[in-house]
Amino acid sequence: AQTVTQSQPEMSVQEAETVTLSCTYDTSESDYYLFWYKQPPSRQMILVIRQEAYKQQNATENRFSVNFQKAAKSFSLKISDSQLGDAAMYFCAYRSPNSGYSTLTFGKGTMLLVSP
Amino acid sequence: DTGVSQDPRHKITKRGQNVTFRCDPISEHNRLYWYRQTLGQGPEFLTYFQNEAQLEKSRLLSDRFSAERPKGSFSTLEIQRTEQGDSAMYLCASIRGAGANVLTFGAGSRLTVL
């Protein structure tokens, strides 16, 4: 079974600064999908960014980018020019293409605090 | 469609009572998932529907839990004889297809068992 590890329970960043959230995963599969989801307090989880393992190019979505290191099984999220609205719990998630029900396996999350 | 809707958003109940949560997915999404999220943890998979068929259940889903998705539209998750350990956020998510497609989550139903 796949596992996802987020080793940083909490991270802090100041507005306009850059922060990197770490994620590692364990899998024996060669093809899979990775996601970062954001969960603001008392609000629904929303997708931040996704990466297909067969793509070597790192995904980028505006201020959000990933550093995908397939051999190291690492998938970190970089947030540039941090904003107060970025404060939330961030979850890294893995999906196997081989699972019949294609569910997500989540890490425990990293709480991001943003200060003015 | 405005997204995945869940009701109620918060339920407080006494131990031993039954509770039911409802999820209305995005209409064109054929796959529906239920997850449980406890404090300080990521969501954990409970069960999965493809259309009206319940195709997968986690070992976390004890026999006190039952889920349905009649006619492949909305879904309900019922917990019978609730226990304090059932206190959690219950998340519903839906998706069309699979692969790199994105699960859309509802805001969740928070259960507090006293």
Side-chain angles (χ1 to χ4, degrees):
Chain A
Q2 295 83 19
T3 58
V4 177
T5 302
Q6 294 179 249
S7 59
Q8 307 154 316
E10 187 176 286
M11 292 285 284
S12 296
V13 66
Q14 287 191 314
E15 264 188 305
E17 297 295 309
T18 295
V19 65
T20 299
L21 309 184
S22 301
C23 173
T24 58
Y25 56 93
D26 186 26
T27 184
S28 59
E29 297 177 315
S30 59
D31 193 20
Y32 45 86
Y33 307 97
L34 296 166
F35 303 82
W36 278 98
Y37 276 87
K38 169 185 177 181
Q39 187 178 41
S42 301
R43 297 186 63 184
Q44 68 191 97
M45 199 171 312
I46 57 174
L47 177 74
V48 175
I49 199 166
R50 60 181 159 180
Q51 174 84 41
E52 289 103 323
Y54 64 86
K55 291 185 177 179
Q56 293 186 336
Q57 187 172 6
N58 288 325
T60 298
E61 290 286 343
N62 301 312
R63 298 182 294 107
F64 299 87
S65 61
V66 298
N67 183 5
F68 174 48
Q69 301 290 327
K70 191 172 184 179
K73 298 179 183 175
S74 171
F75 183 60
S76 60
L77 174 69
K78 185 171 82 170
I79 306 173
S80 304
D81 186 27
S82 297
Q83 301 175 358
L84 292 177
D86 294 333
M89 182 72 88
Y90 286 80
F91 291 98
C92 178
Y94 174 105
R95 179 191 292 156
S96 166
N98 300 316
S99 165
Y101 57 103
S102 199
T103 189
L104 291 171
T105 300
F106 288 89
K108 290 188 176 183
T110 296
M111 176 64 76
L112 179 65
L113 306 174
V114 183
S115 56
Chain B
D1 283 313
T2 55
V4 178
S5 299
Q6 292 190 245
D7 184 70
R9 291 291 309 277
H10 195 181
K11 178 73 175 179
I12 301 173
T13 192
K14 293 182 179 179
R15 189 176 53 187
Q17 298 294 306
N18 299 343
V19 296
T20 299
F21 302 115
R22 176 181 170 121
C23 171
D24 287 273
I26 294 173
S27 60
E28 63 264 28
H29 286 186
N30 59 333
R31 297 180 180 223
L32 184 147
Y33 299 80
W34 284 98
Y35 290 83
R36 183 175 71 185
Q37 185 179 17
T38 54
L39 200 61
Q41 302 291 323
E44 297 172 293
F45 169 75
L46 289 179
T47 191
Y48 157 67
F49 290 85
Q50 184 165 320
N51 301 312
E52 68 276 7
Q54 187 175 21
L55 297 184
E56 190 73 29
K57 292 193 288 187
S58 162
R59 282 172 290 180
L60 292 175
L61 211 67
S62 77
D63 55 8
R64 295 184 298 104
F65 288 70
S66 62
E68 294 182 339
R69 193 184 182 196
K71 303 178 183 177
S73 56
F74 71 92
S75 177
T76 58
L77 177 68
E78 181 183 17
I79 309 174
Q80 296 183 326
R81 304 181 304 281
T82 52
E83 302 173 355
Q84 288 186 324
D86 297 331
S87 295
M89 177 76 85
Y90 291 87
L91 298 172
C92 177
S94 68
I95 188 174
R96 182 176 183 179
N101 292 350
V102 177
L103 272 174
T104 301
F105 283 84
S109 292
R110 181 169 296 282
L111 174 64
T112 302
V113 181
L114 302 176

